[in-house]
Amino acid sequence: MTLSYQWLMDYLPEPLPVAQLSEILTSIGLEVERVSDYEEIKGGLRGLLIGEVIATEKHPNADKLTLTKVHIGKATPLSIVCGAPNVATGQKVVVAPVGATIYPSHGDPLTMKSARIRGEESQGMICAEDEIGLGDSHAGILVLPTDTTVGISAADFFSPYSDTIIEIGLTPNRMDAMSHWGVAHDVCAYMNHHHQKNWQPRWPATPSFAASLPPCPVSVTIENNTACPRYSGLCVDTIQIGPSPRWMQQRLKAIGVKPINNIVDITNYVLHETGQPLHAFDRATIEGNQIVVRNVADKTVFVTLDGVSRTLQAEDLMICHAHAPMCIAGVYGGLASGISSSTQSLFLESACFDPVTIRKTSFGHQLRTDAATRFEKGTDIGATLPVLERAAQLIISLAGGTVSAAPIDCYTSRQARKTVTLRWAYLKKISGKEYANAAVTALLKSLGFGIEKEDTMGVTVTVPYHKPDISLAADLVEEILRIDGLDNIPIPATITLSPAVEQPDYLSKETLREKISNQLAGMGFHEMMTNSITNSAYFPEQGDSLVTMINSLSSELNALRASLLPTALEVVGRNLNYRNLDLRLFEFGTIYAKVSTGGYLEEPRLCIVLSGQRSSTHWQEKSRPVDLYTLKGVVASVLASLGLRASSMAGTHSQLEQTLCFTAQEQPIGIGGLVADSVARPFGIKQAVYYAELNWKALATLAAAQPIHIQELPRYPAVERDLALVVPTALTWQSIWESLQKIRIKTLRDIKVFDIFESDKLGAGKKSIAINLTFSDPEKTLTDKEIEGWMNSIVKTLEKELEVTVRK
């Protein structure tokens, strides 16, 4: 929310310094995110003076230059070489003397220096309007009225507008602070409570248009009362379209709103003043003098103010005349009914719309207007008429309008104000502070609450319409603490600490996730965080199971991902474009799918991405590219940290080659492999990418079921033995490992492959696998006889089950 300091001061009984105001706003929950100076004219015309040209003559060395003498109120006039064709004796002009800095409308600032131009001295510059930021004309120097005082500063003559802009952060429930008047209301409450003031925000004097006037010639019918509970309107005639006054343009530009004409500027001004959006229709375009608030048929085409044809949806609420829609309610006006230079009579709308309806329409058509952002947070249903009268007053004074008919107000189902009871004991319990009853009552009154009942037990209040989020006693406590200040809650002189010893949950999903994240980071991986909303074109095979967005932000962000692979490849492609070629990435993310029962599936997944070299080139070792075994080893390491044993077997996947299907405790837990070239190339990836996606929910569940064993470090040395086996080429290491596990040798602690060798000398269809076996007994030192017995048992088992031979 952008606030103008000068504008905000209009609603406070007394001005406050910017620093104090910023502290107050942050204290009451309107956190000040930025304070910056604003200048309508950059540089504020500082250093520039009003001068008079007292003599001119042609430059002796240049036909298009003129030598001038300029009086700026000092004893000695300035000698200035001027290139403007319209310079003449007797003119009052703007002068930039030596040392002054000018800020052109287009270009960089320029500081004046004494110079010689074609041999003649020049002590400054006579300025054109575009050279000092006053306009865009460069036809000649800016000539001022003849009665302008010489020697005064240009800033005093032009009075350029300056302001302080305050950016505040608003939480979604603070719709009441989305205007200058709303913020002023909170500041007054703060000053009343902390400084014993009796401030009320100053509302401009506004006439109430008498109901004795003739009825409004435009009728209003609301067909959808849920989406539009209240609709007010007023006819204003004899208006004259033109530019808005300078003071209004200055304030609008200060907060980033571009002035258009007096009518549009007034509606924008009142929006930022009160928080209530307005819309002005050219009354001549309202066919049948009828306003109908309704939904139109699906796929209806409507042309908005920007000239774009938009296809409406059935749930879009429209403001229509007797035959066709004129405006997307609460979002954007229509081209046919907008205010133009020929408009003479208008119908001014002030309404209250359902926030959910407006938000859906705004996002559905990608129209994020100031009006929509306010309606979607809720507006004050009780303010439609007062705000309408405020806007009408400005139109009368600034556009020559007249009001000859009473306002129309359709408000059939009037909303009763909510009542909330706050017990004094509950206030003390929740806030931790003893408040005086009278101070609390006064504070709530300052915030706009009505006091229904007050006694020794508590207070019952009616909630103002501009605070729709207030419904519980706890909400009132929050309001009181917000204005009183959390810093003012007293800390007891003595604090009794009662430490609670809680058994940590080492196996919670969050703890396991943090553990694996730290492990992968230690292995050189970087964590990715990608958007769950992605492009549906990535998942053509999903069909009806793909979860698509109803109101997508764009055509490229229109579905919830069914796999982490596409968003991971986007990250890989971006890194490769920046020449980050060796990648180790992981992400904990969620995938989504529709299920046949009509619900939705959300599953947490862990994806692992490898690409490039395993390590950088070193003088002792050459770099090697990552491969499928690198990926398999990382997955095995992750599962080992969870207390699980990884198994894998060959499988198939539409987007992967060399596919492995991973299992743990005989349950499938994910897939991995080389990303197919046809999948990687659309992302600009030309190097091999290995990818694994694991079902994190299944892994966490299995890990939680594993018992935790604690044992002391071995006191006796381990013994290692190597074994070289000649096996069929098709035999996998997995088969060997499973056979060794069946022997159930309790002292066999670890089995590793340290060499694979293939040669014709081994025989056709044969290869050699060398394995290392580690034996250890925590109770004693192992003897050679025991180890030889186990080795013989291992060899016999492998020879019998796998038809292997021991290589001598």
Side-chain angles (χ1 to χ4, degrees), residues 386-699:
V387 172
L388 192 67
E389 292 168 345
R390 166 63 171 157
Q393 174 203 30
L394 289 172
I395 293 173
I396 291 171
S397 61
L398 303 181
T402 57
V403 175
S404 57
I408 187 168
D409 185 24
C410 293
Y411 191 17
T412 53
S413 301
R414 293 186 175 271
Q415 295 184 9
R417 292 178 183 264
K418 291 180 288 187
T419 60
V420 180
T421 299
L422 174 64
R423 301 295 180 188
W424 304 127
Y426 180 79
L427 172 60
K428 181 180 179 181
K429 175 184 176 182
I430 299 300
S431 68
K433 182 176 181 179
E434 186 79 51
Y435 284 96
N437 297 355
V440 172
T441 303
L443 189 155
L444 292 173
K445 283 182 178 178
S446 292
L447 288 173
F449 292 90
I451 307 300
E452 288 288 299
K453 178 184 175 182
E454 181 185 3
D455 54 29
T456 56
M457 299 299 294
V459 61
T460 300
V461 301
T462 55
V463 180
Y465 289 124
H466 65 264
K467 290 186 177 291
D469 62 312
I470 305 296
S471 59
L472 304 172
D475 298 328
L476 293 179
V477 176
E478 181 184 1
E479 289 289 284
I480 294 166
L481 287 174
R482 185 172 64 81
I483 299 300
D484 184 49
L486 296 175
D487 292 341
N488 293 322
I489 298 175
I491 300 176
T494 58
I495 302 177
T496 303
L497 299 178
S498 301
V501 179
E502 182 180 349
Q503 179 68 28
D505 186 0
Y506 294 108
L507 298 177
S508 70
K509 292 179 181 178
E510 293 76 15
T511 304
L512 292 174
R513 173 173 170 168
E514 183 177 359
K515 176 181 179 180
I516 298 304
S517 296
N518 290 334
Q519 178 192 353
L520 289 170
M523 295 171 66
F525 282 78
H526 291 87
E527 185 171 6
M528 303 180 288
M529 293 184 182
T530 60
N531 195 348
S532 295
I533 304 174
T534 186
N535 195 335
S536 61
Y538 292 155
F539 308 100
E541 73 282 358
Q542 293 298 317
D544 293 338
S545 65
L546 185 66
V547 181
T548 55
M549 308 292 290
I550 296 175
N551 293 318
S552 61
L553 297 176
S554 71
S555 59
E556 295 181 353
L557 295 171
N558 61 353
L560 293 176
R561 61 189 175 191
S563 166
L564 302 186
L565 178 58
T567 50
L569 292 179
E570 288 179 345
V571 175
V572 172
R574 180 174 178 83
N575 275 273
L576 295 182
N577 286 339
Y578 284 91
R579 303 300 296 167
N580 296 325
L581 303 180
D582 302 327
L583 301 174
R584 286 176 171 247
L585 307 170
F586 75 96
E587 179 180 16
F588 286 94
T590 305
I591 66 166
Y592 306 84
K594 292 179 184 177
V595 295
S596 57
T597 56
Y600 295 91
L601 173 70
E602 296 184 30
E603 279 191 352
R605 296 291 176 93
L606 165 62
C607 79
I608 297 169
V609 181
L610 292 165
S611 187
Q613 304 298 316
R614 294 181 61 179
S615 61
S616 58
T617 301
H618 190 265
W619 66 272
Q620 289 181 320
E621 181 183 1
K622 292 184 178 180
S623 62
R624 289 185 297 163
V626 297
D627 55 22
L628 187 63
Y629 298 103
T630 312
L631 178 68
K632 184 179 176 181
V634 172
V635 172
S637 178
V638 168
L639 266 64
S641 295
L642 297 173
L644 305 173
R645 170 69 189 184
S647 299
S648 60
M649 62 184 67
T652 59
H653 190 276
S654 61
Q655 296 179 309
L656 300 177
E657 299 172 356
Q658 305 177 23
T659 306
L660 293 177
C661 296
F662 297 107
T663 60
Q665 318 309 93
E666 300 183 354
Q667 292 188 30
I669 50 92
I671 53 93
L674 172 65
V675 178
D677 186 64
S678 60
V679 176
R681 281 196 174 274
F683 296 91
I685 300 172
K686 298 180 181 179
Q687 67 183 43
V689 177
Y690 290 89
Y691 174 84
E693 184 170 310
L694 307 178
N695 187 328
W696 179 248
K697 181 179 179 181
L699 286 176

Side-chain angles (χ1 to χ4, degrees), residues 100-118:
T101 300
I102 60 173
Y103 294 82
S105 300
H106 308 285
D108 297 325
L110 178 65
T111 300
M112 296 295 105
K113 298 179 180 179
S114 181
R116 299 191 71 82
I117 301 176
R118 295 289 184 92

Side-chain angles (χ1 to χ4, degrees), residues 183 342 380 497 515 543 597 651 725 753 777 794:
V183 172
S342 60
D380 185 351
L497 299 178
K515 176 181 179 180
T597 56
L725 305 172
V753 176
D777 191 324
I794 289 171

